[in-house]
Amino acid sequence: ELVVQFQVLNQSCQCLAWKPRSLGVWPCPVESQHVVAGYSDGTVRVFSVSRTEMELKMHPHAAALTAITYATDGEMILSGDKNGIVAVSSPRTGMTIHVLADHKGSPITVLQCTRKQYHDFGVEGGELWLATSSDRRVSVWASDWLQDKCELLDWLSFPAPAGPEGLDSLPPSLAAFCPWEYGVLVYVGFGMHKEALFYSLRKKQVLRKISLPAFATSLSLSPAAPFLAIGFGDRLLRLQPCPAGEPQDYAGHDDIVHLCRFAPSGRRLLTASHSAVLVWEFTG
């Protein structure tokens, strides 16, 4: 059932994110449900679901947006564009407070925030966030937005063979913080081998690798159990238990599995291909 629909004429929506619910509040009150969306003209729009209206329009980018997310407390919006620029904007004031050009020259593929689990990284801040660009680089930052602090914690660059043949377009570079293993992030992308890498921010090294049947096209980590959901270009979805275990492969898509997304409960998984959206339910 279609509940609500927002339309922006003559612009394509490139990315979107739900505003995170307030801590200790569940279910999320309808009046606080917001969606932020990034568009091809470089604008960011915030929509109220309950009031079915656009509440805010910002223009922090000169190029099409490719990734967007809220900070963990919902007080800031992080957006990235196809030129590799990352902007941090306030949905309260509509002002852009930070512009980061560290990934300049390569489209941003992922932005993700997480509450900082450690105080032993040697930097101040209540939040960690990462940016991934299509040139196989990942930057990790520690931030305290109220104190106007944003400090680079780590910079990862993954090698790949030069001039690949037979690939019309390279698989995306994707990274995510690991919900069940604090201080670790998972990375997949075009490289020397088809694999998922687990990198420790504390040890500054790759802890382990999981071999994959092909280069991944989408990635999601379950917040409830140690499982990876990985999509591939040959219409395959893989559920991979971690750190080890027998993977389970599922068919049923009509094209590249370009999106995997676990529900916050971890009980359901949403996947998307060219013309189909599938919802999977986990039992047991």
Side-chain angles (χ1 to χ4, degrees):
E1 179 185 358
L2 178 64
V3 178
V4 61
Q5 185 173 11
F6 301 104
Q7 286 187 311
V8 175
L9 298 178
N10 304 320
Q11 297 298 331
S12 59
C13 179
Q14 312 280 68
C15 47
L16 56 83
W18 284 92
K19 183 178 181 179
R21 64 183 177 89
S22 301
L23 277 180
V25 179
W26 186 261
C28 182
V30 172
E31 61 270 15
S32 70
Q33 290 183 354
H34 289 81
V35 172
V36 64
Y39 287 85
S40 52
D41 62 350
T43 57
V44 171
R45 289 170 168 87
V46 178
F47 299 97
S48 167
V49 176
S50 59
R51 303 217 304 267
T52 63
E53 66 180 22
M54 185 179 76
E55 290 191 347
L56 179 66
K57 177 184 174 183
M58 301 179 284
H59 202 155
H61 296 272
L65 272 80
T66 51
I68 199 162
T69 191
Y70 275 95
T72 52
D73 60 4
E75 293 299 312
M76 291 293 166
I77 293 170
L78 287 73
S79 53
D81 66 26
K82 71 174 185 178
N83 292 337
I85 302 299
V86 175
V88 182
S89 308
S90 167
R92 290 185 181 273
T93 65
M95 300 289 289
T96 297
I97 61 169
H98 283 289
V99 176
L100 303 165
D102 299 71
H103 288 268
K104 189 175 182 179
S106 186
I108 301 297
T109 52
V110 177
L111 290 169
Q112 189 195 5
C113 301
T114 184
R115 296 190 186 279
K116 190 172 152 187
Q117 299 100 343
Y118 287 110
H119 296 288
D120 58 358
F121 286 126
V123 291
E124 295 182 11
E127 182 167 84
L128 291 183
W129 63 275
L130 64 79
T132 308
S133 50
S134 57
D135 57 359
R136 303 172 303 280
R137 294 185 297 169
V138 181
S139 60
V140 183
W141 305 77
S143 296
D144 187 335
W145 305 121
L146 294 177
Q147 301 295 324
D148 198 30
K149 291 181 179 177
C150 186
E151 185 175 345
L152 182 65
L153 181 67
D154 210 337
W155 182 267
L156 315 178
S157 186
F158 296 94
E165 295 181 9
L167 282 175
D168 295 331
S169 58
L170 293 179
S173 303
L174 305 171
F177 291 110
C178 189
W180 61 84
E181 196 168 354
Y182 294 151
V184 171
L185 63 84
V186 178
Y187 172 85
V188 296
F190 179 69
M192 309 303 287
H193 305 284
K194 302 177 179 73
E195 58 192 5
L197 304 176
F198 287 73
Y199 177 87
S200 169
L201 292 168
R202 290 202 295 173
K203 297 181 179 180
K204 307 281 189 184
Q205 66 183 44
V206 174
L207 298 178
R208 59 184 175 276
K209 305 174 181 180
I210 294 178
S211 295
L212 302 176
F215 290 116
T217 53
S218 53
L219 171 73
S220 186
L221 280 66
S222 169
F227 274 92
L228 301 178
I230 308 169
F232 297 101
D234 55 359
R235 302 178 295 207
L236 186 73
L237 171 69
R238 169 165 287 193
L239 268 185
Q240 175 69 57
C242 300
E246 204 60 38
Q248 305 167 46
D249 291 337
Y250 300 92
H253 291 85
D254 59 356
D255 206 329
I256 296 170
V257 185
H258 63 78
L259 179 77
C260 298
R261 192 69 53 84
F262 275 102
S265 66
R267 300 283 302 186
R268 290 183 176 174
L269 172 72
L270 182 144
T271 60
S273 55
H274 173 67
S275 62
V277 175
L278 279 65
V279 179
W280 308 78
E281 190 161 25
F282 292 90
T283 57

